[in-house]
Amino acid sequence: MERDGRRDPEPAFPGAGLAYDLAACLRFYSRLPVPALPGEGDPHAVPDFRAVPRMLPLAGLILAVPGALVLLVAWGLGLGPFLAATLAIAIGVAITGALHEDGLADVADGFGGGTTPERRLEIMRDSRIGAYGGVALVLSLALRIGAFATLLDRTGADAALALILAAILSRTAALAPMVLLAPARPGGAGAAVGRPERPALLVATGLAVLLALVCVAAGLPFGGAALMLGMATAAALAMTALARASIGGQTGDVIGACQQVAEIAALLGLVAAIPA
């Protein structure tokens, strides 16, 4: 199939299209060394986000597994909830190259320090971190570490399921700005990857819900998982509305910030749903 002058790679094996999209997600969202698959086009090309996001929930699961395992091992070794949660977050940041954290810091600096859309975008492009960005990073890390430490105290090993589900739901919810807003910069990263199409969104949503049900079957409370889903969605929509009001669209930084606030909201929802 050819779209906008770009020809999709011919499938080399059954399910190749899904495998290509999963590989593209893993390369885009992490620093994992994902090799080129048989029959795949240029693995280093900018992914076409019109279809690729359908595998984003599964990519989120894969990216979360190392952190979940570290959380369980550290907890099992008796390091305590705070150290176990901190190590798990550190592994996740290393795997993604702080991709989402970087977006959060840039958005905090831009939205907090700029007075016009143009000035905010200019600040967001600056690689230096300011006071707003620094505070946002500290709060993000503290809230996530605190949430996982609390969940370890209250649920034990089920906290690893919470880590995995939060990663799945937050990345899926972070598609909201891409779907609802036009790119704020015509030549920026948000414009380069394209807009998710309806079939891809339906698959991604269905897959995220299915994986949430798997986590429930594995031990997470249904009410807590449902609250995680609702809180992640609400946080993503709130960030989308803030981006529309602040810069009139979305950027790659906005999407990264959206993932962070959605993950934090999901974890706080689960903590609130589980009695102390």
Side-chain angles (χ1 to χ4, degrees):
M1 178 186 299
E2 189 169 328
R3 294 179 295 186
D4 296 346
R6 289 184 287 183
R7 186 171 181 80
D8 295 336
E10 294 296 332
F13 51 89
L18 296 176
Y20 296 156
D21 288 345
L22 176 59
C25 283
L26 292 174
R27 294 189 193 103
F28 188 81
Y29 284 95
S30 78
R31 291 186 171 180
L32 295 178
V34 181
L37 302 179
E40 189 180 14
D42 181 6
H44 304 295
V46 176
D48 184 354
F49 262 67
R50 289 174 295 182
V52 161
R54 59 183 174 169
M55 297 304 289
L56 186 53
L58 186 55
L61 184 154
I62 293 171
L63 296 177
V65 165
L69 292 176
V70 167
L71 187 75
L72 291 176
V73 170
W75 175 251
L77 290 175
L79 295 184
F82 175 78
L83 289 178
T86 302
L87 289 171
I89 292 295
I91 289 296
V93 171
I95 288 174
T96 63
L99 176 68
H100 308 300
E101 287 80 4
D102 179 69
L104 175 66
D106 286 343
V107 165
D109 278 334
F111 289 12
T115 56
T116 65
E118 294 76 18
R119 179 56 181 154
R120 292 176 186 127
L121 287 169
E122 181 184 350
I123 294 173
M124 289 165 66
R125 274 189 165 177
D126 192 332
S127 60
R128 295 170 296 180
I129 187 170
Y132 288 108
V135 170
L137 286 178
V138 170
L139 291 176
S140 172
L141 293 171
L143 286 168
R144 287 181 288 158
I145 290 170
F148 287 126
T150 302
L151 289 170
L152 279 170
D153 271 338
R154 296 184 185 179
T155 69
D158 285 347
L161 292 173
L163 188 154
I164 290 172
L165 184 55
I168 293 168
L169 295 179
S170 63
R171 284 174 172 81
T172 307
L175 294 173
M178 299 180 71
V179 175
L180 299 175
L181 300 178
R185 297 190 191 102
V193 298
R195 232 171 183 172
E197 294 179 344
R198 182 180 177 85
L201 285 174
L202 291 176
V203 172
T205 302
L207 186 54
V209 171
L210 176 61
L211 292 173
L213 292 175
V214 171
C215 289
V216 169
L220 279 185
F222 178 83
L227 191 54
M228 289 180 76
L229 174 60
M231 292 283 283
T233 303
L237 293 176
M239 177 56 71
T240 300
L242 179 61
R244 180 186 288 113
S246 299
I247 58 175
Q250 52 88 4
T251 67
D253 287 332
V254 168
I255 296 165
C258 192
Q259 186 278 329
Q260 291 280 282
V261 298
E263 181 174 336
I264 292 168
L267 291 171
L268 294 181
L270 181 59
V271 169
I274 298 177

